[in-house]
Amino acid sequence: MLVPGLTRRSFLRAAGVGAAAFSAAACTGFATSGNGGMIFLSTQFRPADEAERFRSLLAETAPGVGYVTIEESPFSSQVRSQVDAGSTQIGLLGGLHGDVAPLADGYLQDLTGLLADLGDRRWPAEYLQLAKAGTDHTWYIPWATASYVLAAHADALAHLPSGADATSLSYDQFLDWAIAARRANGNRPVLGLPSGPKGLLHRFTQGFLLPSFTGGQITTFRSNEAVTAWQYFRELWANCVSSSTNYDFMQEPLESGEVRMAWDHVVRLVHAPERDPQNWRMLPAPRGAHGLGYMAVIAGLAVPKGSPDPELAQRAISALTRPETQIQLLRSNGFFPSVDTTIPDDLPPAIELEADAVRRQQEAKGAILSLPPVGLGQREGEVSKVFKDSFRSIVLEGANIRSTLDQQARVLQSLLDDLKVPCWAPDPAADVCEVG
């Protein structure tokens, strides 16, 4: 149920614009839609400008569907409580793999038939495998994807190591590049990383650094190779702009010139090259001994059991996964198509630059796909805290790497023991996730 006493009709009436919408959002925890119609509950595009751009796209492609956003933590509980009560008011679901896949334990409709009907859209095989959530059935349809890439201004690109290919860097070359750029800038670093309070630096450790150095994330957390990865991180950090601890979105210091090279989520880099795109490059992440580890942010569309209008929900899924709609979403909100389609050459320059970098990461020889934590619900933040605390202790405070990893491994294992969830990519999906 939404909240006691709030019926579907009153919820939709409250989802109008102005004060009524604000009131409904305050009561339910939802940021509400002004569109009315069937409720499309999603963890994506929560900022007001992103939500409104997506609502405009939705009104064109799937009329009769009202877009409602919610944070990740209450997303699952809303769906489970409504289905358990036999009174599902939500018609369609949208979220990351880690939001949607855990609901396959009895709270989603089987979409295997719908996938067969849409099969000519040619999703990557690994995306379709993820959508099965470890079963023989398809529980969500891949919707959109995003990732994290490197951004570099021409000022920094001039200091690439001799013979290095910017589109195929090793981590050693990346470090050498940061050192050379610092020295050429009067010994002032030009590399920035998003380690502010709302920054996503922990995703760098989880999805890029550790998989590249160790081949895993959780099962290799305290391995000897992980120690080497953290030693490397210390060296890299010594060549970062000191104010990186204040950066949440790297596009701002990149645009101002305070930083000339950075790593971040594609949505948080897109504005940096707007004024002079000819002087910017977007690049794949570096590779390590095990390959090029990269984190894919994969969003899916699902239908909850008892959906009030499953036919409309499936029509909306069909509309939102058409190649032309996927390109519209790329233009409006910066999320890349999940289907096999040609990226047009008339995109905003920054998005075109990012599209090339994302493609190179996905297609790189030895690419290692990583996912954000799966199945942790409101406790996902506790896993992220393990990586954040490891960074603070090892990199910022200079603590012993081995003892820190051993200590944080105990915290991580205790959490996983409580939740009893399998590991997520790139670690093997064993029934019990053991920290190694």
Side-chain angles (χ1 to χ4, degrees):
M1 296 179 291
L2 295 170
V3 291
L6 186 62
T7 66
R8 182 173 186 275
R9 178 175 297 177
S10 64
F11 174 83
L12 291 172
R13 187 169 59 246
V17 296
F22 179 83
S23 173
C27 291
T28 65
F30 295 166
T32 60
S33 159
N35 295 344
M38 184 185 73
I39 299 171
F40 176 1
L41 183 66
S42 173
T43 61
Q44 301 305 292
F45 313 132
R46 292 201 302 270
D49 57 338
E50 293 182 19
E52 285 310 309
R53 289 196 299 270
F54 182 70
R55 287 182 185 124
S56 296
L57 186 156
L58 192 62
E60 296 176 14
T61 58
V65 180
Y67 192 65
V68 177
T69 64
I70 189 172
E71 293 186 353
E72 292 86 353
S73 295
F75 175 80
S76 175
S77 60
Q78 281 287 338
V79 177
R80 291 179 184 274
S81 63
Q82 290 189 25
V83 173
D84 285 341
S87 180
T88 306
Q89 302 172 44
I90 302 163
L92 178 63
L93 301 172
L96 299 185
H97 171 81
D99 303 326
V100 180
L103 294 170
D105 61 348
Y107 292 88
L108 301 178
Q109 293 188 15
D110 184 353
L111 298 181
T112 305
L114 177 61
L115 178 64
D117 292 341
L118 304 177
D120 61 343
R121 298 191 181 171
R122 300 189 304 276
W123 284 276
E126 57 267 32
Y127 290 7
L128 296 180
Q129 189 62 37
L130 288 170
K132 293 181 178 181
T135 72
D136 295 328
H137 302 277
T138 295
W139 300 105
Y140 70 79
I141 302 297
W143 174 21
T145 185
S147 190
Y148 303 73
V149 297
L150 298 172
H153 190 269
D155 293 347
L157 288 163
H159 305 293
L160 273 169
S162 177
D165 179 354
T167 65
S168 185
L169 293 170
S170 69
Y171 273 95
D172 286 341
Q173 288 174 324
F174 183 49
L175 175 59
D176 289 344
W177 182 17
I179 292 171
R182 170 180 59 77
R183 289 173 175 167
N185 193 45
N187 214 34
R188 296 188 303 275
V190 300
L191 170 64
L193 294 173
S195 57
K198 296 180 181 179
L200 296 173
L201 186 61
H202 57 289
R203 299 303 194 208
F204 174 73
T205 311
Q206 292 171 327
F208 292 79
L209 186 72
L210 287 181
S212 297
F213 275 74
T214 75
Q217 180 188 131
I218 304 299
T219 60
T220 58
F221 180 83
R222 56 181 175 181
S223 64
N224 290 335
E225 291 171 315
V227 172
T228 300
W230 284 103
Q231 289 171 336
Y232 173 88
F233 207 169
R234 275 182 175 168
E235 293 184 64
L236 187 67
W237 185 259
N239 292 278
C240 283
V241 175
S242 60
S243 51
S244 287
T245 50
N246 299 320
Y247 297 151
D248 292 332
F249 294 74
M250 290 312 304
Q251 60 195 6
E252 296 160 3
L254 284 167
E255 188 176 19
S256 71
E258 185 177 358
V259 167
R260 298 280 79 177
M261 50 192 293
W263 170 97
D264 207 345
H265 191 287
V266 289
V267 173
R268 298 181 175 204
L269 291 173
V270 72
H271 294 304
E274 285 179 338
R275 285 188 296 181
D276 59 341
Q278 69 278 3
N279 283 320
W280 289 88
R281 294 281 301 278
M282 297 287 184
L283 306 169
R287 65 175 60 246
H290 282 263
L292 193 162
Y294 76 97
M295 181 170 281
V297 181
I298 301 168
L301 298 165
V303 181
K305 278 194 172 179
S307 167
D309 197 338
E311 292 185 3
L312 175 57
Q314 292 200 22
R315 289 199 302 273
I317 292 174
S318 177
L320 290 170
T321 56
R322 291 188 191 116
E324 59 269 27
T325 311
Q326 299 255 295
I327 296 299
Q328 285 181 268
L329 183 63
L330 175 59
R331 291 183 189 278
S332 66
N333 284 43
F335 266 58
F336 291 84
S338 64
V339 300
D340 183 10
T341 187
T342 301
I343 301 297
D345 56 11
D346 63 343
L347 291 168
I351 293 179
E352 191 172 341
L353 291 169
E354 289 182 338
D356 179 67
V358 169
R359 178 186 59 79
R360 288 177 182 274
Q361 277 186 171
Q362 293 173 336
E363 297 177 358
K365 184 177 180 180
I368 302 172
L369 171 66
S370 302
L371 295 175
V374 177
L376 307 186
Q378 62 185 6
R379 301 191 69 181
E380 192 276 331
E382 295 178 51
V383 170
S384 293
K385 187 175 185 297
V386 166
F387 289 89
K388 292 176 181 179
D389 287 351
S390 298
F391 169 76
R392 187 189 67 252
S393 296
I394 294 171
V395 178
L396 298 184
E397 299 173 0
N400 180 270
I401 298 175
R402 167 56 60 201
S403 61
T404 299
L405 293 182
D406 288 344
Q407 176 189 4
Q408 292 298 332
R410 290 191 289 271
V411 175
L412 185 55
Q413 189 64 65
S414 176
L415 172 63
L416 294 173
D417 288 345
D418 286 347
L419 294 171
K420 297 180 174 58
V421 295
C423 288
W424 49 90
D427 294 305
D431 290 341
V432 177
C433 192
E434 296 285 346
V435 180

